[in-house]
Every structure is written in C-alpha cells, then in structure tokens.
C-alpha cells in the first residue's frame, strides 16, 4: 500500500506540524507542494476552503484541515509513543497549549508574517505591508514572553513530558525562524527549549527545507545557534 500524500507548502506551520508528527512516529508520507492562495481548480476540488494541510490516503480519501489530519495521524500511529498524555490533567494542559499554538499564536502572529513575507512574494504586484508586520511583531513579543515564563517553570511546554503542544508551537516558530523573524536573544527559555526540540531526529525533515530565491536565516539549520 502506497504512503499517503500530504498536500502542503514549505513554510505552512500547520503542514510542518504534520510533518513533525509523521517523522516522530515513523509514519511514511509523501509530500506534494501546492499554493492554495492561487485557488487553482484542482486544489479547490479537493478542499474548497483552499487551506493546507490535506492528507490524501488510499481510495481517494482526502482528510482536510489541521485538526482532522492531526487526529488521523495520532489515532493511526502504532509506535506506542503518543504525544497526548494519558493523565487527564496533563492532557487538558496539552490541549490548552495546542490550541494556543494552532489558533491564537497563528492568528496573532505567524499567519500574518508568513503571508506578508512568503505568500506575497509569490503573488505578482504584491509587497509586504509594513503595518501588518509591525503589529504581528508586537503580538509575537507578548506571546513569546508568556512561553518564556512557562518554560522557566517546566521542562516542556505543557509539563515534564514532550507533547503535541511542543511540536505545534515549534512548527509555528520554525516558519518564523526561516524568515529571520525570531528574536532569540530576547527569549532565552524559548531558545533553550527550541534547541532541544530542534536536535530531535524528527526535525531533520524541516531543516533541509529551502525556498528558491529566499535564503533561510543563519540560525535556521544551526543546532547551536
């Protein structure tokens, strides 16, 4: 049986989370690059919302959207290493911070920076809006300050064990880091946490990513940045 195909674009934080999960679990997946902002008919026929990620499995089954794809991977892993804790309290904290990374951090910060600096680069006549970037960067500082505080009190984002919340936030941050949008020196706890995550074998699937005509930041692939 052939591996499922993940429709993604290289700096999409949501697709990066799925790629990290697949790599951590040993879940084979093939990658197919799409540009959803172009709203091409072939992609809209699969997902009218024009969003990634989309996982195409056997029998033309298309699993659409971050939550659906994430849970499909989580519920189909046979590794015995779930990224959702068994303890109800720890699981609740994981889900709180998972939602924060996937929705609040994304909606306040990364979606705007990725759109202004990456997506618009692919769109004729479009240039980054400096006002949008300014607000996103102010929001970024507030979010990272909170995560810096959390990580000063615990080993991983949701507690003492690595969870899906860690991978979700790391996926968002990795896109910002590629675009030279992570002020690492201002947030030492976040930096130390990210260094540990970045050294995991699962992260290798991201660190070789490159965008034509858009070099990665100097810290992007450096494990000792």
């Amino acid at each position: 049986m052939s591996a499922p195909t993940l429709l993604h674009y290289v700096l999409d934080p949501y697709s990066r989370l799925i790629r990290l999960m697949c790599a951590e679990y040993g879940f084979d997946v093939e990658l197919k690059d799409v540009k959803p902002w172009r709203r091409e008919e072939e992609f809209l026929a699969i997902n009218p919302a024009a969003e990634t990620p989309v996982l195409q499995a056997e029998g033309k089954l298309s699993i659409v959207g971050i939550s659906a794809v994430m849970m499909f991977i989580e519920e189909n892993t046979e590794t015995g290493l779930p990224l959702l804790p068994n303890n109800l309290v720890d699981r609740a904290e994981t889900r709180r911070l998972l939602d924060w990374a996937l929705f609040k951090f994304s909606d306040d910060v990364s979606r705007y920076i990725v759109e202004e600096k990456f997506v618009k680069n692919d769109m004729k006549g479009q240039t980054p809006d400096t006002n949008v970037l300014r607000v996103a960067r102010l929001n970024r500082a507030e979010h990272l300050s909170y995560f810096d505080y959390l990580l000063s009190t615990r080993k991983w984002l949701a507690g003492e064990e690595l969870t899906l919340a860690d991978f979700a936030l790391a996926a968002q941050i990795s896109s910002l880091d590629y675009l030279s949008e992570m002020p690492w020196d201002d947030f030492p706890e976040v930096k130390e946490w990210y260094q540990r995550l970045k050294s995991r074998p699962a992260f290798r699937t991201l660190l070789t990513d490159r965008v034509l005509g858009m070099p990665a930041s100097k810290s992007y692939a450096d494990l000792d940045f």
Side-chain angles (χ1 to χ4, degrees):
M1 188 169 64
S2 61
T5 298
L6 181 69
L7 307 185
H8 80 123
Y9 63 92
V10 69
L11 290 187
D12 173 28
Y14 290 161
S15 298
R16 289 180 151 237
L17 168 57
I18 300 304
R19 292 170 62 194
L20 285 172
M21 291 179 68
C22 289
E24 183 76 6
Y25 287 155
F27 189 99
D28 289 335
V29 65
E30 297 180 359
L31 301 178
K32 181 179 179 180
D33 193 67
V34 295
K35 296 181 177 180
W37 54 88
R38 293 186 178 182
R39 304 187 65 84
E40 294 171 341
E41 289 186 11
E42 181 180 0
F43 184 65
L44 290 177
I46 299 169
N47 182 13
E51 296 175 346
T52 51
V54 174
L55 190 68
Q56 292 185 310
E58 286 290 320
K60 297 185 178 180
L61 171 66
S62 291
I63 302 158
V64 175
I66 182 58
S67 295
V69 178
M70 183 175 62
M71 288 299 102
F72 180 86
I73 300 297
E74 186 70 25
E75 292 166 0
N76 281 277
T77 182
E78 297 178 357
T79 64
L81 298 171
L83 289 169
L84 286 173
N86 290 322
N87 179 283
L88 290 177
V89 174
D90 292 342
R91 185 173 288 219
E93 178 69 347
T94 297
R95 284 177 167 154
R96 178 181 81 87
L97 292 165
L98 176 62
D99 280 355
W100 191 310
L102 290 179
F103 306 116
K104 187 169 178 58
F105 188 83
S106 177
D107 287 348
D108 287 351
V109 183
S110 52
R111 63 175 291 191
Y112 295 108
I113 292 176
V114 171
E115 179 175 343
E116 295 300 323
K117 297 190 72 172
F118 174 71
V119 174
K120 283 188 175 181
N121 188 61
D122 184 66
M123 302 170 70
K124 289 184 178 180
Q126 295 286 331
T127 57
D129 187 324
T130 56
N131 289 325
V132 170
L133 287 172
R134 179 180 58 81
V135 173
R137 287 164 181 159
L138 290 172
N139 291 340
R140 179 191 60 195
E142 291 190 11
H143 284 273
L144 292 178
S145 292
Y146 177 61
F147 293 131
D148 219 48
Y149 158 73
L150 278 185
L151 289 163
S152 71
T153 67
R154 50 183 69 168
K155 182 177 180 180
W156 296 102
L157 198 60
E160 295 308 302
E161 301 295 331
L162 177 73
T163 70
L164 199 52
D166 293 287
F167 275 177
L169 181 59
Q172 300 281 333
I173 285 176
S174 69
S175 295
L176 300 183
D177 189 29
Y178 189 99
L179 296 168
S180 302
E181 287 287 344
M182 276 301 297
W184 291 116
D185 291 342
D186 295 341
F187 304 99
E189 300 292 343
V190 172
K191 180 179 180 179
E192 192 274 336
W193 161 84
Y194 189 71
Q195 283 176 317
R196 284 186 283 124
L197 263 177
K198 193 176 182 180
S199 296
R200 295 182 72 83
F203 238 89
R204 294 171 190 161
T205 187
L206 302 186
L207 297 183
T208 57
D209 283 347
R210 294 296 182 272
V211 177
L212 186 64
M214 186 177 290
S217 70
K218 292 182 179 179
S219 62
Y220 181 70
D222 185 357
L223 299 182
D224 299 312
F225 65 102

